[in-house]
Amino acid sequence: MNHKTVSYKLQSVLKLIILPVAVYIIFEIIDRLVTGKGVISSKADLRVLFRTVITCYCFAMALNCNLLLGRMDLSAGAQMFMGCIFGGNIALQFNLGGIGILVLSIVIGALCGLLVGVLFVNMRILPMVLGIGMTLIFECFSFGAYNQQGLMLYGKKNVEILSNLTFILLVAILLILVMTFLFQHSTFGYSRRAIQGSQKLAADSGINIFKNCILCYVLAGALVACAGVFDTAYKGTLTPGLGMSSNGSVFSNMFPMFLGIWLGSFVRNPVIGVLGGAVSVKLLTLGLSKLALGGSTQNIIIYSLFLIFMIYRTNSSKMEYLKKKKVRIKLAQETRRERHLQIT
């Protein structure tokens, strides 16, 4: 590996980590000036950061499975409810412990994703419309089951492992390895990138776009269920809701997903990029909570930053065009000045 390649890779990694590091440093200074304590001032803060990051990472990766291929799946939040409530309660009934809750929830979440994917491929309904319909159905099922109690992990035996930092870290590493293999090195990932470029060209080249679509839905369902389990372990309970209330999780995790895709473009790996986006947003959230700001105020700040980021990303090509236009005008002016001097 020559010097230029090493230098390029180091610059790419630096661009990837500079945002979460910058967020941490900025809020470390602000929090210490305002409250006298840093962003991560205790082991409890570290545990909260780990739990929220893995939840956010799983959900953002699930959105990434379909959204970048033009499929806005609004039923992801409801799939999380189905996976966690049914999988979690079945595991509790058979005393399967925290790992059993996680595995069964992922399996049921994947089955919900499989159902949505098969319906989409066969019925050809717009993904958003199908997502709304499936959301209402899944919410009704999860609300009506288990006497509307949802999933309660607070005070339950053998579920402490879901709050163990070592276990959370191991699950996070396993997820990153699996997702990196699937997205970057498997036939599924190659086909997905080809479909993302052009669905028609991918189909003409022999790629089974319908099979890839169903696999994306299955993977997304499994990931949102995994996110839901760690979120429930953090909050103690998962209360089912109606009236599209599950969509709050979908919209709240779009910021880390889009931010992660941008960060991942520096290292050409969206899996690592989404992790960087999740860490950045959760450090921002933790930093704001240390300032004792209300939930609505925090949401205003976070969603305003999301809006600013999307405006920047949408108009970045225009900015680049204006920058190149300015360079061309300057070059033309210098050329004209040199010719004028030669003539005179």
Side-chain angles (χ1 to χ4, degrees):
M1 192 178 295
N2 58 40
H3 176 71
K4 286 186 178 179
T5 306
V6 173
S7 176
Y8 173 76
K9 289 195 173 183
L10 285 176
Q11 287 180 14
S12 301
V13 173
L14 185 63
K15 288 178 181 176
L16 171 69
I17 65 173
I18 194 167
L19 181 63
V21 171
V23 172
Y24 173 75
I25 292 174
I26 290 170
F27 276 95
E28 183 73 13
I29 295 171
I30 294 173
D31 288 351
R32 285 192 179 279
L33 288 175
V34 176
T35 65
K37 293 184 178 179
V39 178
I40 304 173
S41 56
S42 65
K43 194 174 180 179
D45 290 337
L46 189 63
R47 187 178 289 110
V48 169
L49 182 65
F50 268 62
R51 285 169 162 176
T52 52
V53 163
I54 192 171
T55 301
C56 180
Y57 174 69
C58 290
F59 217 111
M61 280 305 301
L63 295 177
N64 178 48
C65 289
N66 286 307
L67 192 56
L68 293 191
L69 281 80
R71 299 188 294 266
M72 178 67 186
D73 183 16
L74 289 176
S75 68
Q79 291 176 41
M80 180 188 77
F81 276 23
M82 287 286 290
C84 293
I85 291 174
F86 283 94
N89 281 299
I90 292 171
L92 287 175
Q93 286 176 354
F94 291 96
N95 196 24
L96 298 178
I99 295 177
I101 292 172
L102 183 62
V103 172
L104 277 182
S105 298
I106 288 174
V107 170
I108 294 180
L111 290 174
C112 293
L114 174 65
L115 176 62
V116 179
V118 170
L119 287 175
F120 172 68
V121 167
N122 288 284
M123 298 176 71
R124 309 292 176 88
I125 302 173
L126 286 175
M128 191 177 289
V129 176
L130 176 63
I132 292 173
M134 294 308 297
T135 297
L136 297 173
I137 294 171
F138 284 153
E139 282 184 348
C140 288
F141 272 112
S142 56
F143 187 82
Y146 297 99
N147 297 321
Q148 305 174 7
Q149 296 301 310
L151 176 63
M152 171 72 78
L153 295 182
Y154 181 76
K156 300 292 183 183
K157 294 181 180 178
N158 303 323
V159 299
E160 299 84 2
I161 193 170
L162 295 174
S163 302
N164 185 285
L165 283 182
T166 305
F167 180 73
I168 294 172
L169 191 59
L170 286 174
V171 173
I173 292 171
L174 182 63
L175 278 172
I176 292 170
L177 292 175
V178 171
M179 297 306 295
T180 300
F181 171 74
L182 288 176
F183 273 64
Q184 300 294 102
H185 305 292
S186 70
T187 305
F188 162 75
Y190 296 141
S191 302
R192 184 180 171 277
R193 287 202 293 277
I195 295 168
Q196 187 177 344
S198 171
Q199 183 168 293
K200 185 177 184 306
L201 286 177
D204 291 343
S205 64
I207 293 175
N208 190 335
I209 59 174
F210 303 112
K211 177 183 173 184
N212 191 275
C213 172
I214 292 174
L215 288 175
C216 284
Y217 273 105
V218 171
L219 191 57
L223 285 169
V224 293
C226 182
V229 170
F230 284 105
D231 189 49
T232 307
Y234 171 56
K235 295 175 180 175
T237 180
L238 177 64
T239 305
L242 295 172
M244 308 286 292
S245 59
S246 60
N247 275 326
S249 302
V250 177
F251 295 120
S252 64
N253 287 291
M254 281 190 178
F255 187 21
M257 191 214 72
F258 282 111
L259 194 60
I261 296 302
W262 177 64
L263 290 174
S265 64
F266 297 129
V267 292
R268 297 180 182 179
N269 188 335
V271 178
I272 302 297
V274 172
L275 179 64
V279 172
S280 302
V281 173
K282 289 306 165 186
L283 279 172
L284 169 66
T285 307
L286 188 58
L288 290 173
S289 64
K290 284 297 183 73
L291 297 173
L293 298 176
S296 57
T297 307
Q298 291 184 36
N299 286 334
I300 289 172
I301 295 172
I302 292 171
Y303 284 111
S304 297
L305 291 173
F306 181 27
L307 182 61
I308 293 170
F309 173 74
M310 292 307 294
I311 292 172
Y312 164 72
R313 289 292 296 155
T314 306
N315 296 282
S316 59
S317 59
K318 294 179 183 176
M319 296 176 188
E320 190 66 23
Y321 171 76
L322 292 174
K323 189 178 177 182
K324 289 180 179 177
K325 184 180 178 181
K326 191 177 178 181
V327 172
R328 286 200 302 272
I329 292 173
K330 187 178 180 182
L331 180 62
Q333 290 173 340
E334 288 176 354
T335 305
R336 176 185 285 182
R337 193 179 302 114
E338 287 175 0
R339 286 181 179 175
H340 179 71
L341 290 173
Q342 288 174 356
I343 293 173
T344 55

